[in-house]
Amino acid sequence: MRVPERADTQTIVSRLDAPRPGWPELLTAVVTAVVLYAVGGALIFVVAPPSAPAVAGMLQFALSGLAPAGAFIAAVLVRIRALGPFGFRSVAGRWLAIAFVGAVVCLVVGSVLTLLSGPLFPGSEAVQEDYRSAYGAGVASLLVTLVLGGILTPIGEELLFRGLLASFLRRWGAWVTVIGSGVVFAVSHGINDVLPTALVVGLWSAWLFYRTRSIWPSFVVHITFNSLSILAHGFGLVEALGLS
């Protein structure tokens, strides 16, 4: 094996010390996300039969993961071309445990907030109808939705809102990073009864990202929250408790 020369070592260090995400990455991600969401939404409208809302719901979950992931990849390739500056670094296991417990708390708090804020967002049920059809159409549909909405969607959204956006905002300190990333994440889910819950999850995930400088706890938060939420709806627990 060839021993790296000094020039090679400097090159490796320069990649590890790559600049933090800036305006080029953010603008590239925004444009790419808008295009991917628009094209994907149009395709879903064309291919999903009106008589099968569950299919539309599953496709929307897939789009919710693929579009932000695509935007993140485009941002990485613009200039930095390294994942370290976007939060891909190791983290102590206790932070993953803290993230998991916090996600469970977010689910409970979010359910209560959704119930209380429902009257403030009339018509929200129609907005979420396709998603609810996806995890309520049988075991097979629930399993597919769990993969798409419980794993793919959280990964894609965390890449964009924490890996890119929170990394970009970090230059202005903790408050701007956590609140900015959390609020943008919540608003991206629409002005409906999901917004309060999305805000709670977004703030918790953003705080963990800022505190640990790692995206892995954020993945744990979002995957845990979405997966438990889908399972709770799929098995009728939410309805049984009167939280829907």
Side-chain angles (χ1 to χ4, degrees):
M1 179 182 297
R2 184 176 68 87
V3 177
E5 299 177 357
R6 182 175 181 180
D8 299 319
T9 304
Q10 289 177 341
T11 300
I12 294 172
V13 172
S14 67
R15 298 311 303 151
L16 294 175
D17 194 30
R20 73 177 63 184
W23 287 107
E25 287 75 29
L26 183 65
L27 294 176
T28 298
V30 169
V31 172
T32 305
V34 169
V35 171
L36 291 178
Y37 276 117
V39 173
L43 289 175
I44 292 175
F45 180 79
V46 171
V47 303
S51 59
V55 175
M58 287 184 281
L59 291 176
Q60 289 174 33
F61 272 124
L63 178 61
S64 296
L66 294 175
F72 173 80
I73 292 172
V76 172
L77 295 177
V78 167
R79 179 173 60 107
I80 299 175
R81 299 184 181 180
L83 294 177
F86 296 91
F88 279 86
R89 60 189 71 193
S90 60
V91 66
R94 70 177 183 278
W95 285 108
L96 302 181
I98 291 171
F100 176 82
V101 173
V104 176
V105 174
C106 286
L107 182 63
V108 175
V109 173
S111 298
V112 175
L113 289 177
T114 298
L115 182 64
L116 296 177
S117 64
L120 301 177
F121 303 101
S124 293
E125 296 80 6
V127 176
Q128 301 294 319
E129 183 177 354
D130 288 343
Y131 291 112
R132 290 171 179 167
S133 297
Y135 46 65
V139 176
S141 180
L142 176 61
L143 292 176
V144 173
T145 302
L146 189 61
V147 173
L148 297 177
I151 299 176
L152 178 62
T153 294
I155 290 176
E157 291 185 340
E158 289 305 314
L159 288 175
L160 182 61
F161 292 104
R162 248 59 68 185
L164 175 59
L165 180 59
S167 295
F168 169 78
L169 294 174
R170 191 179 186 90
R171 54 177 46 83
W172 290 292
W175 286 99
V176 173
T177 302
V178 175
I179 295 177
S181 173
V183 169
V184 173
F185 171 77
V187 173
S188 73
H189 286 75
I191 308 302
N192 52 61
D193 62 357
V194 175
L195 190 148
T197 304
L199 181 60
V200 172
V201 175
L203 291 175
W204 175 236
S205 179
W207 182 84
L208 285 169
F209 183 83
Y210 186 87
R211 179 65 177 79
T212 65
R213 294 178 176 267
S214 173
I215 199 171
W216 299 109
S218 298
F219 283 150
V220 170
V221 169
H222 207 153
I223 290 174
T224 300
F225 180 90
N226 275 30
S227 297
L228 291 179
S229 179
I230 289 171
L231 290 173
H233 279 90
F235 286 105
L237 180 61
V238 174
E239 290 73 13
L241 295 175
L243 297 176
S244 62

